[in-house]
Amino acid sequence: SQTIHQWPATLVQPVGSPLSLECTVEGTSNPNLYWYRQAAGRGLQLLFYSVGIGQISSEVPQNLSASRPQDRQFILSSKKLLLSDSGFYLCACSTGGHGYTFGSGTRLTVV
Amino acid sequence: DQQVKQNSPSLSVQEGRISILNCDYTNSMFDYFLWYKKYPAEGPTFLISISSIKDKNEDGRFTVFLNKSAKHLSLHIVPSQPGDSAVYFCAASEASGNTPLVFGKGTRLSVIA
């Protein structure tokens, strides 16, 4: 079964600073990868998903971007963070079926 | 427009009693439904799922019921235990499984000892 490594667990960043969150997957190849954000009262909001290297679909227009430089690596980035970017960021993977495996998440606080 | 709705943000139940969490959906293309459980500061974990060809799926204390005509599903936990206290997310996907899961906003369940 697949395992997702996500880091860091918590992050406090000033407004206007850059962001890079990394997610790597073990135990599978060619997974579908996802970035979700859980914000207060908003549930799990899909931000980006990728079905292969270099293939990124964006669900919500915002100042975040995602990249998939390797098969099992998914990176969430921002050039300049906003206060509204605060939240709990989750990486997830699937292998074509319906179920997802989630990482342990990153709590981002923008101050 | 929310395609998966969990209209109760929170639910409080006494230990030993039944917990019923509800979920409604609007997209008629959804035909596979899942429930995830999430503790604070952790990623969601898969709990139970149901395909649209069934109306009930049971796994130990957890049962999911699906009413396709009403576009409604529910998760029953019997008996409820304090360790069940968590946020429960309903999710749905289309037949192919190639489109991302759509999640509801979650229901926070508190089981009181």
Side-chain angles (χ1 to χ4, degrees):
Chain A
S1 63
Q2 52 262 48
T3 304
I4 296 188
H5 300 282
Q6 199 180 331
W7 66 91
T10 59
L11 191 59
V12 180
Q13 292 284 98
V15 169
S17 64
L19 173 74
S20 180
L21 300 181
E22 188 164 344
C23 167
T24 58
V25 181
E26 288 182 358
T28 187
S29 57
N30 196 30
N32 293 339
L33 296 173
Y34 311 86
W35 278 110
Y36 282 86
R37 177 172 62 200
Q38 183 187 15
R42 298 289 302 274
L44 289 176
Q45 182 186 32
L46 177 65
L47 301 176
F48 301 95
Y49 70 97
S50 170
V51 298
I53 295 174
Q55 300 178 61
I56 308 293
S57 296
S58 174
E59 292 293 303
V60 182
Q62 55 204 322
N63 70 321
L64 299 172
S65 62
S67 62
R68 186 171 178 175
Q70 299 179 44
D71 180 47
R72 289 175 288 178
Q73 184 185 28
F74 204 23
I75 298 172
L76 182 70
S77 304
S78 173
K79 292 183 179 177
K80 287 186 178 182
L81 284 168
L82 306 173
L83 286 174
S84 58
D85 292 324
S86 294
F88 192 60
Y89 288 81
L90 288 156
C91 179
C93 77
S94 70
T95 51
H98 295 280
Y100 288 6
T101 299
F102 281 88
S104 53
T106 295
R107 168 70 60 191
L108 171 67
T109 304
V110 183
V111 295
Chain B
D1 180 36
Q2 267 212 299
Q3 298 183 71
V4 177
K5 301 178 185 179
Q6 293 177 257
N7 292 321
S8 298
S10 62
L11 175 67
S12 231
V13 172
Q14 277 207 307
E15 181 180 7
R17 307 295 287 268
I18 184 171
S19 295
I20 300 176
L21 294 92
N22 294 303
C23 178
D24 298 291
Y25 61 97
T26 58
N27 187 343
S28 57
M29 298 298 291
F30 289 150
D31 77 341
Y32 198 85
F33 305 90
L34 308 91
W35 285 93
Y36 282 80
K37 177 179 178 180
K38 185 184 180 301
Y39 293 117
E42 294 183 11
T45 55
F46 170 75
L47 191 58
I48 193 169
S49 63
I50 188 166
S51 162
S52 61
I53 62 173
K54 292 186 171 184
D55 55 18
K56 176 182 173 181
N57 188 25
E58 191 173 352
D59 183 2
R61 296 185 298 112
F62 303 91
T63 303
V64 56
F65 295 92
L66 175 63
N67 182 334
K68 276 196 73 177
S69 60
K71 293 191 176 69
H72 175 83
L73 62 153
S74 60
L75 173 68
H76 292 209
I77 307 174
V78 182
S80 302
Q81 300 173 354
D84 296 329
S85 297
V87 177
Y88 290 79
F89 289 99
C90 173
S93 73
E94 297 181 15
S96 66
N98 289 326
T99 55
L101 285 179
V102 178
F103 286 85
K105 290 188 176 182
T107 297
R108 181 178 300 280
L109 173 66
S110 300
V111 180
I112 305 162

